[in-house]
Amino acid sequence: MKGYRLLVACLDQPGIIAAISHVLARNGCNITSFDQYSEGPAGLFFMRAEFDMVHHSGDFDHEKLISEFDRLALEYHMQWRLTERDRAHHLAVLVSREDHCLNELLWQTERGDIHAEISVIISNHEDLRELAEHFRIPFYYIPVTPAQKAQSEEKLHQLVRDYAIDTLVLARYMQILSEDFVSQYPAQIINIHHSFLPAFVGPKPYHQAYERGVKLIGATAHYVTAELDAGPIIEQDVHRVDHRHQLDDFKRIGRQVERIVLARAVKWHVADRVLVYGNRTVVFPI
Amino acid sequence: MKGYRLLVACLDQPGIIAAISHVLARNGCNITSFDQYSEGPAGLFFMRAEFDMVHHSGDFDHEKLISEFDRLALEYHMQWRLTERDRAHHLAVLVSREDHCLNELLWQTERGDIHAEISVIISNHEDLRELAEHFRIPFYYIPVTPAQKAQSEEKLHQLVRDYAIDTLVLARYMQILSEDFVSQYPAQIINIHHSFLPAFVGPKPYHQAYERGVKLIGATAHYVTAELDAGPIIEQDVHRVDHRHQLDDFKRIGRQVERIVLARAVKWHVADRVLVYGNRTVVFPI
Amino acid sequence: MKGYRLLVACLDQPGIIAAISHVLARNGCNITSFDQYSEGPAGLFFMRAEFDMVHHSGDFDHEKLISEFDRLALEYHMQWRLTERDRAHHLAVLVSREDHCLNELLWQTERGDIHAEISVIISNHEDLRELAEHFRIPFYYIPVTPAQKAQSEEKLHQLVRDYAIDTLVLARYMQILSEDFVSQYPAQIINIHHSFLPAFVGPKPYHQAYERGVKLIGATAHYVTAELDAGPIIEQDVHRVDHRHQLDDFKRIGRQVERIVLARAVKWHVADRVLVYGNRTVVFPI
Amino acid sequence: MKGYRLLVACLDQPGIIAAISHVLARNGCNITSFDQYSEGPAGLFFMRAEFDMVHHSGDFDHEKLISEFDRLALEYHMQWRLTERDRAHHLAVLVSREDHCLNELLWQTERGDIHAEISVIISNHEDLRELAEHFRIPFYYIPVTPAQKAQSEEKLHQLVRDYAIDTLVLARYMQILSEDFVSQYPAQIINIHHSFLPAFVGPKPYHQAYERGVKLIGATAHYVTAELDAGPIIEQDVHRVDHRHQLDDFKRIGRQVERIVLARAVKWHVADRVLVYGNRTVVFPI
């Protein structure tokens, strides 16, 4: 029994759920999960459905379903995407020296809590090569210098192509990707920023948080856009601190928040549970 | 523009969302919110939809919609319920001496955060009469003694009828209602228990929690069933305590958790966001 | 048995706890609670002790204790303060139109969860007069216009003097006090800002938060200083939101966070549990 | 500069802080951290101090300090303990098949977030041998059968002696140690139970939680005593679940809570931040 995920975004209009579910029903699809969100009376409509092919399976039905959806999409001006539930989602994880976020992703993908495969690990330092090798994942060292930035990014593009990467995860990758690079992967690059954005944009957020004397520190997973730390937020969380916590404690506690927040964001992203519109996200979490 | 809420529960089966949404669409209903949950492949199907009547309105359409749903219900063996969004939901709040939960419900209903009306306040003590009167809500003092329990409950029944009560809320009402009484209001009596159930069932849960040396204390809002503190849970939350907190601190901190948890449960219940099956609840919160 | 609270701040130096506790011991004081915090090896020392006068009581001992502390303070360059535990702390609460924060403070002071007395309620609107009167607390309407700001603040000063106010609480008081006014009450004015500072400084933070698409909204209680929303933070907390929450939901959920955060900050402040240094606070909470 | 930690427990009595801090001061100890807790007027007194030897160092001072404390202990009927801050704390981690708790302890001890050394890993299964070997930690496979329980525990005792183990950590070790074994390590065996105790004592707590329909699941780290899952609680935490979470989701989410709760408990325990009295703990966390 084959499973699929259908994502739809369009302007809200009467009868749209009926139209979509009717196409699914008459093609032998049994909806197992259905999430929908409409914003305002004349607003946007977002939908995510999981369904199984119950009666038959095979390519024929698949093509018929797709062609019917194409017609529906024209009629309702829908953006839509159909993905096979069991298709492996390929991640490239970019890191610098810190291992906690990478560790969490390795651990959760390996045990299946995140349904994705880390196809390649890329770093501007050699520090985490051994960790990658222990998990038998190809590791590429791509140093980044101001002079050679374009060249480094060209190597990144090449790896994305070579490994058929779906999503790049910046797991404490302490480099800023160029606007040109970023623009080629819309909603395909996830970053973990070590603050509760939009507080403490930019470098050294824990220093900033410590200086300000905050009582909670946080982390933010977001899609990367041209503007630094300003892309659509996928997930955020915080942890309590107090006056006894020094900068090192902020970093230590923060590491726990970072890896959990990033892992959640990646888990939802690879399961097609995140839809982007403007600078916001609709997240149907589990 | 009239708004409605439709609740459906049945065995899951292919085409059910299509069938329901089709009926809604051809009767001029525009779905504004749609939540669905299916448990397992051969499992249960739960649905909650909010919709507006866009094309026309009036009694005729309403009756046609209902008759079409009656037919659908037969075909799919559905349980269903249709409620008008703007119909006032009438609450009877039962209290003893503690005012914090009642206060919260008064405050949230008055400012419209909970879309319901407290029609009557009933107590086995006189302490909270003044509070009720300040909010201009009828207050009834019904003392409860073992000898006169049946008589007291008869008065309760009478008030429920007189005020057309939809739901009874036990807001720290320190009396146990009889099995017979409870059985007449299935999923219509909400209690707040001052512990994280199933820990500390029964009387004096804060004493029990303090004795056990727990590091979190909680509260549980649940539907009342014949078995004490064992009904379907609607909402739970906790707050951190430590060794410095004495029994009085447990009670003080607990009061904050109790009133928040109870208010959430009532808010969701009166908005038809809670569905009960067996001893569990499906909650579509906001 | 009389209870006292002793607060000390100075440079850390060997023997300081011994010296202080020795003075307390030989004056018949039994320490019931002792919190201390030292920042770094050559850093600052903060201390809070609660003690009972066990052997004797009366003015004579009190004066002797004070004179011994005066000597100690000279020797160790200490700042210190001794307060009677049972002395009533007088609050002036300033509000505009929103009642949720005021309500919480009224409720918690009345039932003794916050050990303080609301001596006067001051507003630039008439809306909350009835609420104040229900609690039998003097209410003053002081309109604020740009032209008459100085005059309004003079009236505020007068009320602070008339009611022997210890602390001003801005419980959603939507006016900015002048730098001159603020400078006269260092660490004596507490404000609740409806965002997780330093995110969303200034007006309409919920609008800002909604625009940014954050996944948590927060509130911050802080001492007011000349710089807007930049004073020492006493307490912060957050609550989860998602794409389904519109601006009104942000405000509704935010109200819950605001009143809880403000009540905690006031509770700790009036119990001398907050020490300010630079732009930071040491908080010994309970 | 040598650092020490001093732990004291006794009946509360006037002058005790003065007496202790005086001994420390005149032996050249500079207190860097001081936590104290007194329970009730005629109750118990608990204290934890960290101090540096500032003036001199060396064995002579150390012995003088100890002999002075011995005298003080007699006078005040104190239980006390002095530990060197830099002495390595040796852990034996006992596991079965699940790796998440062990992984977390390995990661946090390796990077120094937990100041301890995992000296040996012991299991009743072979599954985690490879993980142990990757971290170059001795791994012992000790199968447990009802018939050979005494023999298995004898091997455990031997390893504790061989590796000079300070604390045994049961990191999802699915075996119940005998009363006799447990009695030999009071407050030296830490277990992680995968529920919010005292809810769901015993086996399969996630099944129990799922059946009961709770809205939060938790984990509890506690010292092991003769009575199952009833020892003094060190730390607890919870995570939200809802109707969409099936048993496998409970386990998945629970694993995150378990490893964080256990790591916190071990971190505090090895830093002498946990004091036990009766069935309760005083925890001075950081």
Side-chain angles (χ1 to χ4, degrees), chain D residues 161-215:
Chain D
R161 284 188 296 265
D162 290 352
Y163 286 93
I165 294 304
D166 296 292
T167 302
L168 295 97
V169 180
L170 312 188
R172 297 300 304 272
Y173 180 63
M174 309 305 280
Q175 297 295 322
I176 296 172
L177 298 166
S178 74
E179 196 172 329
D180 177 62
F181 184 93
V182 164
S183 69
Q184 295 180 51
Y185 303 100
Q188 287 176 277
I189 310 177
I190 297 174
N191 183 45
I192 181 74
H193 184 77
H194 39 316
S195 85
F196 181 79
L197 286 175
F200 313 127
V201 165
K204 296 193 175 287
Y206 291 132
H207 288 77
Q208 295 182 53
Y210 182 75
E211 284 310 310
R212 181 62 188 89
V214 294
K215 300 298 184 186

Side-chain angles (χ1 to χ4, degrees), chain C residues 9-54:
Chain C
C10 60
L11 285 178
D12 198 8
Q13 44 209 305
I16 187 156
I17 292 178
I20 294 169
S21 54
H22 190 58
V23 167
L24 290 173
R26 80 167 168 248
N27 281 278
C29 309
N30 187 30
I31 298 174
T32 54
S33 161
F34 189 97
D35 288 295
Q36 176 272 345
Y37 170 65
S38 304
E39 188 159 282
L44 294 159
F45 171 88
F46 302 95
M47 199 204 84
R48 178 190 187 274
E50 292 197 21
F51 58 86
D52 297 320
M53 296 293 269
V54 279

Side-chain angles (χ1 to χ4, degrees), chain D residues 12 58 61 144:
Chain D
D12 199 9
D61 286 309
V144 180

Side-chain angles (χ1 to χ4, degrees), chain A residues 140-160:
Chain A
Y140 291 87
Y141 167 56
I142 304 184
V144 180
T145 59
Q148 303 198 308
K149 185 150 187 158
Q151 205 175 324
S152 307
E153 291 193 345
E154 190 38 57
K155 284 185 199 162
L156 274 181
H157 282 307
Q158 192 55 49
L159 288 171
V160 168

Side-chain angles (χ1 to χ4, degrees), chain A residues 37 210 236 246 280 283, chain C residues 37 210 215 243 246 280:
Chain A
Y37 169 65
Y210 182 74
Q236 303 187 288
Q246 301 304 305
R280 310 164 70 78
V283 182
Chain C
Y37 170 65
Y210 182 75
K215 300 298 185 186
H243 59 268
Q246 302 304 307
R280 309 164 71 79

Side-chain angles (χ1 to χ4, degrees), chain C residues 231-243:
Chain C
I233 293 170
I234 306 170
E235 172 64 347
Q236 302 187 290
D237 214 337
V238 293
H239 199 280
R240 197 159 273 277
V241 290
D242 64 39
H243 59 268

Side-chain angles (χ1 to χ4, degrees), chain D residues 151-171:
Chain D
Q151 206 175 325
S152 306
E153 292 193 344
E154 189 40 54
K155 283 185 199 162
L156 276 180
H157 281 307
Q158 190 57 48
L159 288 171
V160 168
R161 284 188 296 265
D162 290 352
Y163 286 93
I165 294 304
D166 296 292
T167 302
L168 295 97
V169 180
L170 312 188

Side-chain angles (χ1 to χ4, degrees), chain C residues 50-118:
Chain C
E50 292 197 21
F51 58 86
D52 297 320
M53 296 293 269
V54 279
H55 296 319
H56 331 278
S57 68
D59 285 350
F60 184 77
D61 287 309
H62 189 249
E63 275 173 28
K64 180 163 166 288
L65 182 67
I66 284 179
S67 89
E68 291 197 26
F69 261 110
D70 270 334
R71 247 175 298 148
L72 210 65
L74 275 174
E75 190 183 338
Y76 285 93
H77 302 279
M78 288 167 24
Q79 291 180 284
W80 67 287
R81 194 167 84 230
L82 189 71
T83 54
E84 280 184 47
R85 196 168 49 203
D86 295 332
R87 194 188 75 84
H89 192 107
H90 297 123
L91 301 174
V93 181
L94 282 74
V95 292
S96 288
R97 287 195 157 115
E98 292 266 24
D99 67 346
H100 55 287
C101 287
L102 175 59
N103 246 323
E104 187 72 26
L105 294 174
L106 286 167
W107 184 71
Q108 290 207 23
T109 51
E110 189 166 81
R111 65 174 305 146
D113 286 350
I114 293 176
H115 300 287
E117 180 191 307
I118 299 180

